[in-house]
Amino acid sequence: MEVIIQPSHHQLAVIASEIIRDALLKKLNLVLGLATGSTPIGLYKALVRMHKEDGLDFSRVTTFNLDEYVNIPREHPQSYHTFMAKHFFDHVNISVENQHIPQNTAENHETFCARYEEAIERVGGIDIQVLGIGTDGHIGFNEVGSSLASRTRIVTLTESTLVANAIHFGGDVSTVPEMAITMGIGTIMKVKQCLLLACGTSKSEAIAKAIEGPITVMMPASALQMHPNTVVLIDEAAASNLKEVEYYKRSYANKLKLESQ
Ligand code: PGA
């Protein structure tokens, strides 16, 4: 894992957007794995700016979102379909048929989940997957106990996730959908590069355990220790429980020095 620590959320978003831009300039039909939540909003803003001001072209890009709640209408203000339209899809030129978000229904979900995996395979796999992390260490909606080889499937959300997401549902936990469709950890492990973003002290414990703790189903993000190309982008607050902060900073400074030679 490469750990990049920056003073602010803004700088993380800029670095993540530059990684995606550089990959897109090299491969016009880039396959992006996308995430929802408050953390990647700055990244989407930066990419939208690059599209509008610098002409960054997304016309051949394909996207796959990590997850979606089960049984809320697509047009619900808190559906991930709505989120993606509002923060990204409505502002860039990704064709609608290339946008994939898990379908928010439990009907035929087994067939749907298998097809989602097949659709990813058909385009040659995901090049870059954007990830957030839950305070309980989930990635996508792979909650504690998720098999580290799991694939796209329906899951029940943990109490801590329901509480964390209640803010988006008027603060009432009982109105947060209890189930979701999510790519599995095994699905995420097959992507070529992961960009894991996290900000704030509420994520510091999960980040420390995911990066420096044992690999365990009790901390789903720890599976990324076995991923060959994961970049962890975090602010100082999210880094505050890490033991090796100085080492990560020195490594990144040396990488930049090498690149500028
Ligand atoms: P957040 O959610 O970006 O809103 O903190 C991250 C997650 O739960 O995966």
Side-chain angles (χ1 to χ4, degrees):
M1 281 177 169
E2 179 184 5
V3 181
I4 302 177
I5 302 167
Q6 294 289 304
S8 77
H9 177 229
H10 174 70
Q11 277 131 321
L12 300 176
V14 169
I15 294 172
S17 67
E18 287 171 352
I19 292 173
I20 291 176
R21 178 201 58 200
D22 293 350
L24 178 51
L25 292 175
K26 281 194 201 118
K27 185 185 177 197
L28 298 181
N29 61 344
L30 195 71
V31 182
L32 280 176
L34 300 177
T36 52
S38 51
T39 314
I41 291 177
L43 163 62
Y44 296 139
K45 259 196 198 134
L47 290 172
V48 168
R49 191 204 60 72
M50 287 171 173
H51 171 66
K52 295 214 158 126
E53 292 175 18
D54 311 332
L56 189 64
D57 181 16
F58 290 85
S59 61
R60 294 182 57 200
V61 166
T62 300
T63 65
F64 290 91
N65 264 77
L66 280 170
D67 46 21
E68 174 60 290
Y69 293 115
V70 165
N71 288 342
I72 62 171
R74 292 161 84 106
E75 57 282 358
H76 188 287
Q78 295 309 330
S79 81
Y80 290 167
H81 284 74
T82 300
F83 177 100
M84 289 311 300
K86 179 175 166 200
H87 293 288
F88 195 44
F89 293 150
D90 282 356
H91 314 287
V92 291
N93 62 335
I94 300 174
S95 61
V96 174
E97 63 273 17
N98 287 351
Q99 302 167 9
H100 302 87
I101 303 180
Q103 202 169 298
N104 50 359
T105 168
E107 279 163 39
N108 299 324
H109 67 265
E110 276 180 26
T111 318
F112 174 81
C113 292
R115 289 214 182 114
Y116 203 67
E117 295 272 336
E118 282 159 23
I120 294 172
E121 293 296 318
R122 222 173 9 251
V123 292
I126 291 171
D127 293 302
I128 300 181
Q129 176 66 56
V130 178
L131 295 169
I133 184 170
T135 51
D136 61 358
H138 69 219
I139 44 174
F141 270 136
N142 293 284
E143 301 283 32
V144 291
S146 292
S147 159
L148 303 186
S150 52
R151 311 307 296 227
T152 301
R153 69 203 186 289
I154 296 240
V155 294
T156 292
L157 305 182
T158 58
E159 189 62 26
S160 80
T161 298
L162 295 176
V163 169
N165 291 1
I167 188 174
H168 305 298
F169 289 83
D172 181 358
V173 178
S174 69
T175 62
V176 184
E178 270 195 85
M179 291 196 294
I181 300 183
T182 183
M183 279 185 204
I185 298 177
T187 321
I188 294 167
M189 293 299 284
K190 284 187 75 178
V191 311
K192 291 172 194 111
Q193 182 175 42
C194 290
L195 299 183
L196 174 68
L197 287 101
C199 297
T201 33
S202 67
K203 301 292 172 70
S204 62
E205 200 182 324
I207 281 293
K209 287 182 176 161
I211 297 173
E212 295 177 340
I215 298 173
T216 163
V217 294
M218 295 310 288
M219 179 48 58
S222 66
L224 295 171
Q225 292 176 28
M226 296 292 290
H227 188 278
N229 188 357
T230 287
V231 181
V232 180
L233 291 148
I234 48 179
D235 68 0
E236 296 277 359
S240 58
N241 275 335
L242 286 169
K243 289 196 185 74
E244 298 295 340
V245 168
E246 292 315 315
Y247 174 68
Y248 304 134
K249 287 186 177 172
R250 201 154 54 78
S251 299
Y252 185 55
N254 278 336
K255 182 187 163 188
L256 293 183
K257 235 187 262 167
L258 259 187
E259 281 173 1
S260 66
Q261 272 170 16

